[in-house]
Amino acid sequence: MSESTNGQNGLRGTTILAVLDEHGVTVAGDGQVTLGQSIVVKHGARKVRRLYKDRIVAGFAGSTADAFTLFERFESKLEQFKGNLARAAVELAKEWRTDKYLRRLEAMLLTSDGRQILMLSGNGDVIEPDDGLAAIGSGGAYALAAARALRRHADMPSRETAEAAMHIAAEICVFTNDNLVIETLEAS
């Protein structure tokens, strides 16, 4: 069972949101797994997890099997570079882009060490957002818009911002539910 993609590098079937502030980061993900375009096969999938001695948090959007492969490769890179998030992310992105097997993976990663957020794609992209907010997946744009509005007009901690934005995304995106997994890391 995997989540579907729309064939235009837009990944369906999930929403992952990261909200960074001066205290650290919150990464939230929904739990819905869809088969094809219309069948919900799981409501409580865990798409956000801690890596590298619980010092890195990452979430995935895309094919579940592909995401597990990427988590394993990313964890290996984190071990190799002793938890250096940026270096591990760049090395994974290079390998992802050039490796014949990895190039076929249909997933994206959103990761943070509590000080920065990075988005990784199979195109070799490693992107750090300007505003400390990032989202991936089919409901990513909705969650990102909600998080930006909340940040600009409400004085809320990152966890509350992420949770509220994810609930808004779940109200709009049919591929996103409100069964959330939320991980918070303090800035170190």
Side-chain angles (χ1 to χ4, degrees), residues 90-142:
V90 168
E91 292 302 319
L92 176 65
K94 284 196 296 190
E95 188 175 306
W96 191 355
R97 185 169 182 250
T98 58
D99 183 273
K100 199 175 223 180
Y101 169 73
L102 291 178
R103 271 198 315 249
R104 294 190 191 134
L105 299 182
E106 295 183 13
M108 288 186 75
L109 289 178
L110 184 58
T111 187
S112 179
D113 60 3
R115 295 183 309 267
Q116 65 181 339
I117 297 170
L118 298 175
M119 291 185 299
L120 289 78
S121 79
N123 295 329
D125 299 319
V126 177
I127 300 167
E128 182 175 12
D130 293 330
D131 60 359
L133 301 169
I136 58 175
S138 62
Y142 307 120

Side-chain angles (χ1 to χ4, degrees), residues 118-169:
L118 298 175
M119 291 185 299
L120 289 78
S121 79
N123 295 329
D125 299 319
V126 177
I127 300 167
E128 182 175 12
D130 293 330
D131 60 359
L133 301 169
I136 58 175
S138 62
Y142 307 120
L144 183 61
R148 283 188 176 149
L150 289 166
R151 176 165 280 170
R152 289 177 188 162
H153 302 290
D155 186 21
M156 298 167 62
S158 66
R159 184 176 178 94
E160 289 178 27
T161 300
E163 189 169 1
M166 288 294 291
H167 283 294
I168 291 168

Side-chain angles (χ1 to χ4, degrees), residues 8-21:
Q8 299 172 341
N9 294 332
L11 298 164
R12 289 191 185 168
T14 201
T15 302
I16 305 293
L17 172 67
V19 178
L20 183 71
D21 64 18

